[in-house]
Amino acid sequence: MSSFKDSGHLFRLAAVFLGGILVFLIVRALLVPKTFGEYGHYRGSALTDLAARPAHYAGHDTCETCHADVLDKKKDGRHAHVNCEACHGPQAKHADDPGSEQPAKLDTAILCAKCHEANAAKPKSFPQVATADHSSGLPCDTCHQPHSPAIVAEAAK
Amino acid sequence: MNVTRRHLLLLLPAAGVAWKYILAGTPEVAPNYKLADHWWSMLIDLPKCIGCGNCVRACQAENDVPDGYFRTWIERYHVNDYDIENPVVDSPDGGKKGFPPAKDPSGKNFFVPKLCNHCADSPCTQVCPVGATFISPDGVVLVDKTYCLGCRYCVQACPYGCRFINPKTDTAEKCTLCYHRITKGLTTACCENCPTGARQLADLKNPKDPIHEFLRTHSVQVLKPSMATHAKVFYNEMDGSVR
């Protein structure tokens, strides 16, 4: 054992290393979020953070639970598959509190043109008009009902 | 100090247990939504797109996207018969306010909506030096803004130009495929507000999703297939001039 007579140095060195590793582990445990590495090299709870955002658009299923009458008007018309908020805008607040949050009234002269203004790049089968010629500035709902826009003869109504 | 080899050996298992505890963390469980059951994608049926800009407006309203920046936008292509390889593309304000009449109504004119392709082999997640951007287990490319340094590597790595630095937070931002909506059973804001159904959210892991039948029966492409990013935004009847 005489060749190891000063082996105490080695143990002190090992203790320093162990202490260092221990400090590293403690600091790492404090700094690295618990969910880091849960699914991959990222913070797993970032998914729940992102999913927790509130939605601004309620979705047409929510609208239809109350506005079944509008759904009835729409169902046979050309706008049957146009969702409510596509025209009426984000209504999640209205859905949460229908009493105090009212959707804004829409100006059909502007609204309808967003889709139906003629443009060479639109598909040929899509109904398009040059609004200036078509209605001479009158709002579209003078003749068309937006929820079912085909014009039916007075007698057939 | 009187530490012997025996002490050292006794310490090792304790350190091992501590290490395991540190790595484990606490798993987060989202009710009724199983990450492993979904693999999200989107179908864009180009012959239906009318360039109304509803998707762009809906995205900005839903996600508080700053003015002048876009998580989705619409491009208008004009292709001349005599120069089909060099289309003229315009996108005034991302198509948010619709499009003015075409300068040249001759030739071929059409709209192409763009958004993050949620690539299965995404270049943007590979370059992130800090693990701030990643592909979620349900196939959505997301950004953890609390980790993002704003180094812009990902912005230049995306071959589709789908990322930007938010000037308010100075972090990378992009389409999240409305992660807060799809995890609650809603569709994305752009799909919800597309009046013609040109955009449809699709779940490739759902065998009942109509996407499977559609992909089988239509000529569908992705953007820049040569980049081998395995993009998951599918374009139906896309013209060869689209970049």
Side-chain angles (χ1 to χ4, degrees):
Chain A
M1 283 299 285
S2 62
S3 58
F4 291 111
K5 67 178 159 87
D6 291 327
S7 57
H9 293 302
L10 292 175
F11 289 118
R12 253 166 280 166
L13 200 62
V16 168
F17 270 104
L18 266 180
I21 289 166
L22 203 67
V23 169
F24 168 77
L25 288 180
I26 290 164
V27 170
R28 191 185 185 281
L30 291 176
L31 294 183
V32 177
K34 279 272 180 281
T35 57
F36 199 93
E38 189 182 356
Y39 307 112
H41 188 70
Y42 57 92
R43 200 167 57 94
S45 53
L47 293 177
T48 28
D49 290 359
L50 283 156
R53 262 186 78 93
H56 294 323
Y57 287 88
H60 61 282
D61 289 333
T62 309
C63 307
E64 285 158 11
T65 52
C66 296
H67 300 283
D69 54 325
V70 183
L71 193 64
D72 258 7
K73 270 188 222 162
K74 275 174 68 183
K75 71 174 191 293
D76 297 321
R78 295 291 295 275
H79 284 169
H81 298 294
V82 180
N83 291 336
C84 315
E85 288 163 312
C87 298
H88 292 282
Q91 297 300 344
K93 277 185 189 158
H94 167 66
D96 288 342
D97 187 3
S100 55
E101 289 285 342
Q102 291 293 329
K105 279 272 172 226
L106 300 169
D107 181 357
T108 53
I110 298 166
L111 176 76
C112 303
K114 281 180 179 167
C115 290
H116 291 287
E117 187 70 64
N119 195 310
K122 287 183 183 177
K124 299 290 167 284
S125 57
F126 184 76
Q128 302 165 51
V129 292
T131 43
D133 300 341
H134 181 78
S135 67
S136 55
L138 282 173
C140 310
D141 61 355
T142 316
C143 303
H144 301 276
Q145 287 312 305
H147 287 137
S148 180
I151 298 174
V152 279
E154 278 301 315
K157 266 186 187 171
Chain B
M1 200 151 173
N2 206 5
V3 183
T4 64
R5 256 170 287 190
R6 180 172 299 173
H7 286 122
L8 192 65
L9 282 171
L10 285 173
L11 263 172
L12 276 175
V17 169
W19 181 249
K20 207 178 165 191
Y21 168 75
I22 287 158
L23 286 186
T26 35
E28 297 269 346
V29 186
N32 304 326
Y33 182 82
K34 285 207 185 75
L35 289 166
D37 290 352
H38 304 275
W39 193 247
W40 295 108
S41 66
M42 194 180 279
L43 173 68
I44 300 197
D45 201 350
L46 285 182
K48 286 186 181 170
C49 180
I50 57 168
C52 62
N54 248 12
C55 48
V56 185
R57 291 190 292 274
C59 177
Q60 297 212 316
E62 180 71 34
N63 298 299
D64 305 320
V65 181
D67 261 348
Y69 295 85
F70 303 94
R71 290 187 181 190
T72 183
W73 67 98
I74 309 168
E75 291 172 0
R76 175 169 62 181
Y77 274 70
H78 169 71
V79 190
N80 264 317
D81 310 348
Y82 51 82
D83 191 11
I84 60 163
E85 284 193 349
N86 291 298
V88 180
V89 184
D90 71 339
S91 182
D93 204 6
K96 192 163 97 176
K97 299 185 181 93
F99 287 79
K103 284 193 194 96
D104 183 2
S106 70
K108 193 158 45 175
N109 293 282
F110 55 91
F111 297 109
V112 182
K114 295 220 173 142
L115 71 157
C116 169
N117 287 272
H118 294 283
C119 310
D121 286 324
S122 56
C124 58
T125 58
Q126 289 168 33
V127 298
C128 181
V130 295
T133 184
F134 52 88
I135 304 172
S136 70
D138 42 357
V140 184
V141 177
L142 295 169
V143 179
D144 179 356
K145 68 177 176 195
T146 60
Y147 256 54
C148 179
L149 303 168
C151 75
R152 293 157 170 80
Y153 270 18
C154 58
V155 177
Q156 61 85 42
C158 174
Y160 307 100
C162 294
R163 284 171 172 258
F164 60 90
I165 298 289
N166 185 319
K168 282 182 207 142
T169 58
D170 219 17
T171 55
E173 209 176 290
K174 63 178 290 299
C175 161
T176 61
L177 210 63
C178 282
Y179 199 70
H180 59 296
R181 297 176 62 87
I182 61 175
T183 48
K184 289 172 195 141
L186 294 165
T187 186
T188 65
C190 56
C191 293
E192 176 69 31
N193 289 287
C194 179
T196 61
R199 283 173 173 250
Q200 288 158 43
L201 180 73
D203 184 357
L204 294 173
K205 269 196 189 170
N206 178 1
K208 287 183 190 144
D209 198 300
I211 184 78
H212 303 292
E213 174 69 14
F214 195 98
L215 291 179
R216 274 198 297 271
T217 52
H218 291 75
S219 40
V220 175
Q221 294 182 62
V222 293
L223 291 171
K224 301 187 185 179
S226 59
M227 301 293 292
T229 58
H230 293 118
K232 294 206 300 302
V233 173
F234 305 110
Y235 287 85
N236 182 34
E237 286 190 38
M238 185 164 71
D239 192 83
S241 62
V242 177
R243 300 286 173 263

